[in-house]
Amino acid sequence: MQERRQFILTVSCPDTVGLVAAVSGLIASWGGCLDEVNNHADKTTGRFFMRNVIDAESLALGLEEFRAGFVPLARRFQMEFSVRDSSRPKRVALLVSKEEHCLVDLLHRWRTGELPFELPCVLSNHERCREYCDAVGVPFRHVPFSPETKAESFEAVVSLLEQEQVELVVLARFMQILPAWVCERFAGRILNIHHSFLPSFAGSRPYRQAFERGVKLIGATSHFVTAELDAGPIIEQDVMRVDHSHSLADLVRLGRDVEKTVLARALRAVLEERVLIDGNKCIVFR
Amino acid sequence: MQERRQFILTVSCPDTVGLVAAVSGLIASWGGCLDEVNNHADKTTGRFFMRNVIDAESLALGLEEFRAGFVPLARRFQMEFSVRDSSRPKRVALLVSKEEHCLVDLLHRWRTGELPFELPCVLSNHERCREYCDAVGVPFRHVPFSPETKAESFEAVVSLLEQEQVELVVLARFMQILPAWVCERFAGRILNIHHSFLPSFAGSRPYRQAFERGVKLIGATSHFVTAELDAGPIIEQDVMRVDHSHSLADLVRLGRDVEKTVLARALRAVLEERVLIDGNKCIVFR
Amino acid sequence: MQERRQFILTVSCPDTVGLVAAVSGLIASWGGCLDEVNNHADKTTGRFFMRNVIDAESLALGLEEFRAGFVPLARRFQMEFSVRDSSRPKRVALLVSKEEHCLVDLLHRWRTGELPFELPCVLSNHERCREYCDAVGVPFRHVPFSPETKAESFEAVVSLLEQEQVELVVLARFMQILPAWVCERFAGRILNIHHSFLPSFAGSRPYRQAFERGVKLIGATSHFVTAELDAGPIIEQDVMRVDHSHSLADLVRLGRDVEKTVLARALRAVLEERVLIDGNKCIVFR
Amino acid sequence: MQERRQFILTVSCPDTVGLVAAVSGLIASWGGCLDEVNNHADKTTGRFFMRNVIDAESLALGLEEFRAGFVPLARRFQMEFSVRDSSRPKRVALLVSKEEHCLVDLLHRWRTGELPFELPCVLSNHERCREYCDAVGVPFRHVPFSPETKAESFEAVVSLLEQEQVELVVLARFMQILPAWVCERFAGRILNIHHSFLPSFAGSRPYRQAFERGVKLIGATSHFVTAELDAGPIIEQDVMRVDHSHSLADLVRLGRDVEKTVLARALRAVLEERVLIDGNKCIVFR
């Protein structure tokens, strides 16, 4: 599926008559063959969202020409749009602290090509995960964090991200709260995995909170990071059943499997340009 | 959502460039506002499927005019198409034997308007469910079945269905195998609920089969009926967890809840024209 | 499974060596055949919980004799215990407001014997559900509620419950907050269904809260009612997947199916004496 | 939970009065503190099954003494029993072919101690997975298989397993059908993961079968291996939702996540002695 070269066009604009016709008409005029089309009209906000996957071989133009050729239509309908070439994978950085299960899972999916992205580096505030990166030849950057030097540490992190031209940041159990300026600098481009079914148990020690509340399902949530902690647009969630016989340690252990799959699914959706941000919600096209 | 009057256009044709543009362009030329658009290209068969939901108020034409106006485009692209007015609900007949749980569930969803359809009659080979129909004022037709008179009984059933101009037949736990000629007469218009996760445990006594095999999940499957028993295109399936402590009677009891929800979801999808048959599979647009 | 007459013994006490031996030894000394045994030791609180299901026919004594014969052992180990005869179903009252789906579901399960309980009456602050009770011959008691007379209305409700010797109260979408004195009077005997995955979206309009937060799963929670709103011990929870295409009305509609099954499962567990309260958590034996 | 040293006693015998009393009485007479007790009476076969987890520190005797002391009781009730020391992990061999996802998953769970077992070696009919074993220092044994030499290859495999005193064999996507004599030699001690929701799609290419049938859920099954292909007692199953938009390659990719978690859960249950074989079914105590 990924082997075929495709252009992926995503569009967001005020809803009106003729949007699909205009976009698909322009693409057809270029001979473009549509592999997938997804649309959503948000009745609350009156905005329209669209994702078009076009067989790149069917088009007689390159990415830059496509972009330039789309501008007049975008201007007419006040569209925000983006178009990507699927053969040019995104540059992604993984940030991790001590818990390694999400990192190990993503590294394996990356290494086998299941998740197609470029991985210029893994960043961490601990040394603990270095060995996993060394084993697969991924640069591991250790940025120490201490309460006093937090501001400098985040400067260093952002500087590394920009140096590596990172397009997407994945917090794969990175246990540091990002300052507002970092959230804004990478708005809509930082993915987090929170180890609870949000909005339940936001903040610290969610499994302990879940254990103490006696819930019958535990969960995990992947969301975009915003300045407000654990409150950004949700991309994917899942749960698993637990009962009274499970200790807190059991919840932590069982939860790891949910965290891994939720984060991997969310990342895949983002890489395939299936996720469009609509205010504080996510549209996730399938 | 259902209150708004909409035209629902479904299309199936050989895949080619410009299909979305042509269809959405025609609709836009009539001022039609698209509420929902779904597409699917079957790479195996090379066929293209489409569902367009159009705000009827935005169109300056009626259903017949729409149909007539669509014919030239359909001819050009060898399209099979159908267009319906959402304010004209389908005429549905429910067929039932002795197990009443699916019938009771559908009657309640029908009565409260959750599932919008016309219900000219319930047919049964037993008297047992009459009271449920009487209670809500739905005509109950008892057609006795015996091994010797099966052929005549099916003639009587079909005659009743045609008399009532039934468009869709729902086998809500109807325990008689339909002869091939009935399957053909209502091809693509008979919905069944089978009380197993097909293709496991086709045929009779699926819960007993499941109990004896020791499966850890039991399920239900809603599919279109074809001449081959329990082998038609699958619309919806679901499962629930069981374990060694469950008796056969427990499986039967637990399974009822899965059967009810699977059948209700499949019926809703069909009523909303979300289900398109693609060979022996179903496309189910969301 | 329910047809066999059984004694169900539940026990809670400080954990120590020899509890299972003592209890099963006493039962064996009476010739009692154990159909099911469940145990749980809460490592946090040091309490031990036990459920024993005994074939009543294998015992040469009646319920009162059993109780009397168990007292010395209970005293020795500081046990709280309860023993019931499965052939004597609990007296349950259903309380409902305007939303009828949980009521209709429970009435059907009660009527068909799927859920074995006595149903002396349905109470409501509205007239709307009277017809469903009339149809199956269950007394419907209308107790009007107004902001000014709330205290008197609750007096009337409690008076009715006590008059009918109700042992268990099920709030099947009863939209009035119970005062603390009612919660205490029926402590551990009032079951609620909340239409969210608690602790998310406690309080009013949970589906609206869920819609606005953009969660990818909606849920329902059945719990025992305590003086603190939506904070009592959780018995059962479940969720279902939703996405951006679902309107608020869709969430409400889809959620009904989760509410019904969660409440029915919780009620079944309570009726079968599978639920033991352990502080603010529930042990739910399977 | 695993840190505490425990004796795990599992028992299977004809059902009769006084079994729990006799076993728990004997354990209590030794001062044994019961951490967990599970029981199941199979009404069909009249057999009784039991699992007792005893705090080893509370006992004044060792494993051999326990065993010897249990024999008279076992003889009296015709019990088959086994008792293990949780601090002595099982010796497990992993067999794998070319697909590495289950192996990589189990290696990580083993390495981090999430799954406590000894791993004397990984066996494979291909070289492909050697690097994963080298990376974590696990001996990798390559046993080439060809159609002509299959018999000798299985002799070599069994010889290696016996040399390494392997107690449990895990087929982590090992794509060779075991001959009957191997199944018998390790009866009840070979775990397989089959990449379908059995009994659907037994045999080869289950995802292709699932794709062609158009099922709406795909699954995986972990079972004990018997001489009849894919027909042994089922330990664990799970499913995930798919739809018409998924290609065969998507099913294969999505299915990997189900396979990994199902196999890991089944293995954990077996390692914790929670799985008792009852004819062609498994009792899986929680």
Side-chain angles (χ1 to χ4, degrees), chain D residues 54-102:
Chain D
I54 306 138
D55 181 356
E57 305 312 319
S58 69
L59 288 165
L61 37 72
L63 196 66
E64 279 319 308
E65 261 183 308
F66 189 112
R67 229 175 242 137
F70 199 79
V71 164
L73 194 157
R75 197 186 304 125
R76 177 177 162 214
F77 290 106
Q78 297 169 264
M79 287 171 171
E80 293 165 32
F81 78 98
S82 129
V83 56
R84 295 185 54 92
D85 183 334
S86 69
S87 67
R88 226 283 285 138
K90 278 195 174 146
R91 288 178 72 79
V92 178
L94 308 180
L95 271 64
V96 65
S97 291
K98 284 181 180 169
E99 296 277 347
E100 86 281 1
H101 54 283
C102 286

Side-chain angles (χ1 to χ4, degrees), chain C residues 206-233:
Chain C
Y207 289 122
R208 175 166 291 277
Q209 292 182 57
F211 180 71
E212 284 169 0
R213 183 63 187 89
V215 289
K216 298 303 183 189
L217 299 166
I218 55 166
T221 303
S222 183
H223 62 95
F224 286 114
V225 173
T226 56
E228 191 185 343
L229 184 65
D230 298 331

Side-chain angles (χ1 to χ4, degrees), chain A residues 22-57:
Chain A
V23 171
S24 59
L26 179 60
I27 294 168
S29 79
W30 295 334
C33 179
L34 284 172
D35 286 346
E36 291 177 57
V37 186
N38 308 98
N39 304 274
H40 176 64
D42 185 326
K43 303 294 180 192
T44 315
T45 61
R47 283 193 78 78
F48 184 78
F49 301 86
M50 198 180 211
R51 174 179 178 265
N52 295 274
V53 182
I54 307 137
D55 181 356
E57 307 311 319

